[in-house]
């Protein structure tokens, strides 16, 4: 399990997509590949190998011939690489071995298509052209036995559909990864942990908290406590519209976890209504250190850290400050 | 199948072994370290129950796939005395071993799915899964 | 592998190593109880930085170490609980009620010193 050899990006993708020997076997079964087919493919092997360059050209000529295909063919370096991969793809297609390694080799092209933004429907159309010209060559090779030739071509077509399956899955997976990353970034932005001064963190919570977000908040706060060696955290919930029992439980868990790490949490911005409804829900807030407004909470935090809070207005010293 | 591991649980050092294997499998499956810790903790709880109440048994760890999502499944099974009242055993604070009584209900909270089957005199089986988010 | 215990002034420091077995923990409890009495220690620091899992059993044992030490006149601070471990503990439903915690060894020592100063002053 502790593989010291560094994984390539396609290997990582294969792992993330769970492209295991089992799942590849399942894919073979889905396209209906049978031992018979392998024999038939072997029979047309030479026909395909003889014209690998030609078939690859059919694919790329189609792409460069249409607007949507030029996202790839306008990039010369990538097209060269893609052509190389397509050639080895064609060779492997008639190679007889369609295991995990074969499926994994299909990923590099998929990633490349995704990178240049080649639409799947365009790829599929180009691949169709390529298959058609293979079909023609196969039919032509044995004019005396057209039914045989047709059956052989249909066997190869199963491999083609196997390939399309892998490529479509990979492109979709990559696209979803981008979405996932964006979602994470948005979530992170909405739960900033701010270091106010040495050992003091401010966690302003804004918006709707669901279970997933609550977890992220807890996670980032706990890591920030360790990274900043924080001793006191002010958690401001002024921006949280409603706190139901579930959210309250999450907040309590966060406070408890912070405490386990040695940091104390001051909760501010809990309105009277919210506090009352929580009490009505039977949630015990007595263990929480709550302070009305953010300013009061910050003052309390600084006191806890041993800083003296000096007010410019002596009359206001120690008295609760107005919000804002 | 390479991604399934059976860890025999006979003494308490096996508990550590089970959770280390679990963490390694979870990491290989792509779980983030926070989730690896949750998994290792849940494994620790069910493995310990085997040692404490059944004497010996096994913990089986396996990466699973279902409808496009992936996860890690943990099965702890033993042929021990079984649990008389399963509902009670799942309650926070219920313990016949003068412990905290948090192992089973806590493990359930750490995982996405959790099932406890037990027959008195036959044995106990805990099946739980956590999915990659 | 027994847990090494270091004596620093009036404080005992136990640094728990990674793959700790249950027996090690139980032995630590008995060992600490004994040493607190012998050295008249005022404080015990349990450093769990290296632990990647704190389950129900470990938590219970740490709690009982703290209560035992308290009965013998020493305050216990648990230091170094990792963020992920803390998260797993609260999800499990575990807490260390009534036991001091601190970020790391240094903080733990400072906390014990402050407590001692309060007590003497
Ligand atoms: N494998 C098992 N075989 C027999 N009984 C079991 C088994 N696992 C759990 N139990 C019973 O279920 C009860 C609850 O288990 P749970 O793990 O929740 O708490 P605990 O082990 O008593 O305490 P903790 O896990 O918090 O240290 C146990 O006290 C025991 O009676
Ligand atoms: Mg238990």
């Amino acid at each position: 399990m502790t593989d010291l050899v560094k994984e390539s990006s396609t290997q990582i993708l294969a792992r993330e997509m769970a492209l295991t020997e089992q799942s590849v076997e399942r894919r073979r079964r889905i396209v209906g590949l049978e031992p018979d087919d392998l024999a038939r493919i072997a029979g047309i092997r030479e026909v395909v190998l003889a014209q690998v360059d030609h078939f690859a050209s059919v694919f790329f000529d189609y792409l460069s011939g249409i607007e949507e295909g030029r996202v790839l063919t306008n990039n010369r370096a990538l097209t060269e690489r893609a052509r190389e991969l397509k050639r080895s793809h064609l060779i492997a297609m008639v190679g007889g071995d369609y295991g995990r390694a074969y499926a994994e080799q299909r990923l590099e092209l998929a990633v490349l298509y995704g990178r240049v933004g080649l639409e799947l429907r365009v790829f599929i159309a180009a691949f169709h052209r390529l298959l058609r010209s293979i079909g023609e060559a196969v039919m032509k090779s044995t004019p005396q036995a057209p039914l045989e030739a047709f059956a052989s071509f249909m066997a190869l077509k199963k491999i083609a559909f196997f390939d399309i399956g892998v490529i479509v899955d990979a492109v979709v997976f990559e696209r979803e990864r981008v979405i996932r990353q964006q979602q994470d970034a948005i979530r992170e932005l909405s739960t900033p942990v701010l270091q106010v001064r040495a050992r003091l963190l401010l966690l302003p919570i804004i918006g709707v908290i669901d279970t997933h977000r609550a977890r992220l908040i807890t996670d980032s706060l706990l890591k920030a406590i360790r990274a900043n060696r924080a001793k006191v955290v002010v958690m401001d919930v002024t921006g949280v519209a409603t706190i139901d029992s579930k959210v309250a439980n999450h907040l309590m868990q966060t406070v408890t976890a912070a405490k386990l790490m040695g940091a104390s949490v001051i909760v501010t911005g809990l309105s009277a209504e919210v506090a009352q409804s929580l009490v009505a829900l039977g949630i015990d807030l007595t263990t929480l250190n709550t302070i009305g407004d953010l300013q009061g909470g910050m003052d309390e935090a600084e006191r806890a850290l041993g800083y003296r809070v000096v007010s410019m207005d002596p009359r206001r010293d120690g008295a609760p400050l107005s919000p804002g | 199948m390479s991604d399934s591991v059976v860890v025999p649980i006979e003494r308490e050092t096996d508990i550590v072994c089970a959770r280390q294997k679990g963490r390694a499998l979870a990491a290989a499956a792509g779980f983030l370290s926070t989730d690896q810790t949750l998994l290792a903790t849940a494994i620790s709880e069910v493995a310990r129950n085997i040692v404490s109440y059944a004497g010996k048994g096994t913990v089986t760890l396996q990466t699973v796939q279902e409808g496009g999502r992936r996860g890690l499944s943990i099965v702890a099974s033993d042929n021990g005395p079984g649990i008389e009242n399963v509902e009670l055993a799942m309650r926070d604070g219920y313990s016949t071993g003068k412990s905290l009584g948090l192992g089973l209900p806590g493990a359930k909270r750490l995982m996405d799915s959790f099932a406890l089957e037990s027959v008195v005199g036959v044995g106990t089986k805990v099946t739980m899964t956590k999915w990659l988010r | 592998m027994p847990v090494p215990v270091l004596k620093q002034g009036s404080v005992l420091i136990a640094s728990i190593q990674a793959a700790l077995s249950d027996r090690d923990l139980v032995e630590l409890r008995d060992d600490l109880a004994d040493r607190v009495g012998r050295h008249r220690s005022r404080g015990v620091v349990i450093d769990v930085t290296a632990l990647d899992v704190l389950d129900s059993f470990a938590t219970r044992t740490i709690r009982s170490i703290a209560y035992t030490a308290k009965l013998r006149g020493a305050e216990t601070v648990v230091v170094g609980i990792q963020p992920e471990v803390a998260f797993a503990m609260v999800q499990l439903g575990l807490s260390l009620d009534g036991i001091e915690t601190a970020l790391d060894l240094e903080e733990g020592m400072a906390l014990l010193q402050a407590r001692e100063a309060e007590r003497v002053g």
Side-chain angles (χ1 to χ4, degrees), chain B residues 45-46 48-49 52-53 99 101-104, chain C residues 56:
Chain B
E45 292 299 342
V46 291
R48 180 175 322 281
N49 281 350
S52 307
Y53 306 112
S99 192
L102 286 172
L104 291 174
Chain C
S56 172

Side-chain angles (χ1 to χ4, degrees), chain C residues 9-80:
Chain C
S10 61
V11 176
L12 295 174
I13 304 169
S15 307
I16 294 182
Q17 307 303 306
L20 177 87
S21 78
D22 299 0
R23 178 147 326 121
D24 297 335
L25 255 185
V26 173
E27 272 167 18
L28 174 67
R29 182 188 59 199
D30 300 344
D31 183 32
L32 277 176
D34 175 52
R35 290 209 209 190
V36 166
R38 255 194 294 135
H39 305 307
R40 303 234 172 84
S41 304
R42 294 315 234 158
V44 173
V45 177
I46 303 176
D47 187 352
V48 297
T49 308
L51 275 192
D52 69 336
V53 165
L54 260 164
D55 60 7
S56 172
F57 177 85
T59 305
R60 185 163 60 100
T61 314
I62 287 175
R63 279 205 220 172
S64 83
I65 290 175
Y67 299 147
T68 314
K70 183 103 184 172
L71 287 176
R72 314 204 92 199
E75 193 78 37
T76 300
V77 188
V78 177
V79 306

Side-chain angles (χ1 to χ4, degrees), chain A residues 140-179:
Chain A
K140 237 183 264 168
S141 67
T142 48
Q144 71 285 3
L147 280 182
E148 262 316 286
F150 183 71
S152 299
F153 177 63
M154 289 313 278
L156 187 66
K157 216 164 169 185
K158 291 179 183 174
I159 302 298
F161 273 84
F162 171 96
D163 298 346
I164 291 175
V166 172
I167 289 185
V168 167
D169 283 353
V171 170
V172 170
F173 189 88
E174 281 294 308
R175 202 171 291 165
E176 281 172 355
R177 181 206 307 278
V178 174
I179 296 170

Side-chain angles (χ1 to χ4, degrees), chain A residues 101-118:
Chain A
Y102 178 83
E104 197 176 299
Q105 281 156 14
R106 305 287 73 81
L107 297 181
E108 189 176 343
L109 260 180
V111 170
L112 198 150
Y113 298 150
R115 189 135 54 97
V116 297
L118 183 71

Side-chain angles (χ1 to χ4, degrees), chain A residues 199 214-215 218-219 222-223 225-226 228-231 250 252-254 256-263, chain C residues 49 78 80-87 89-91 94-96 99-104 106-107 111:
Chain A
R199 335 244 18 216
R215 263 197 68 165
T218 310
D219 215 42
L222 297 182
K223 286 183 176 136
I225 288 174
R226 175 133 283 260
N228 299 291
R229 298 177 48 81
K231 234 176 143 166
H250 285 312
M252 297 294 281
Q253 281 186 348
T254 310
T256 312
K259 184 76 203 48
L260 284 172
M261 292 184 63
Chain C
T49 308
V78 177
I81 297 182
Q82 298 299 313
E84 285 145 18
V85 175
F87 186 65
M89 285 175 76
V90 295
Q91 295 268 301
L94 298 169
S95 65
L96 287 172
I99 299 168
E100 294 285 355
T101 49
L103 193 72
D104 53 24
E106 192 187 326
E107 283 294 309
L111 193 132

